[in-house]
Amino acid sequence: METNIHATNAAFHQTVKHQPENFQKPWMKKVILCRKLFALGVVALVAVKIASVLAGFIIIAALGWMSDKLFF
């Protein structure tokens, strides 16, 4: 067994790809990109909605505090 380990003509095994690198159809990359951009747009829209609701709460709280200081 040791003679096989140190042999100079040892077998060399290389992995072989069974599918070509451009296996996906060309339009598939565009579909994936469009889905990613759509998801990014949805996330941005949700973030803006949440920010507007939080800003509304802050404005209402500030107006309530100012009216309390001015009139009471």
Side-chain angles (χ1 to χ4, degrees):
M1 186 169 173
E2 266 190 48
T3 58
N4 290 337
I5 291 175
H6 299 292
T8 56
N9 58 354
F12 180 72
H13 298 285
Q14 186 175 8
T15 57
V16 178
K17 291 183 180 181
H18 296 288
Q19 296 176 348
E21 288 193 24
N22 55 0
F23 177 69
Q24 292 180 341
K25 296 176 179 72
W27 54 270
M28 196 65 170
K29 290 182 181 179
K30 290 182 182 178
V31 168
I32 292 171
L33 179 65
C34 288
R35 286 184 181 178
K36 287 180 182 178
L37 289 175
F38 179 75
L40 183 64
V42 169
V43 168
L45 185 65
V46 169
V48 167
K49 284 285 191 181
I50 292 171
S52 68
V53 168
L54 290 176
F57 287 149
I58 292 171
I59 290 172
I60 289 173
L63 288 175
W65 179 77
M66 284 194 300
S67 66
D68 183 53
K69 292 294 180 187
L70 285 174
F71 300 115
F72 298 108

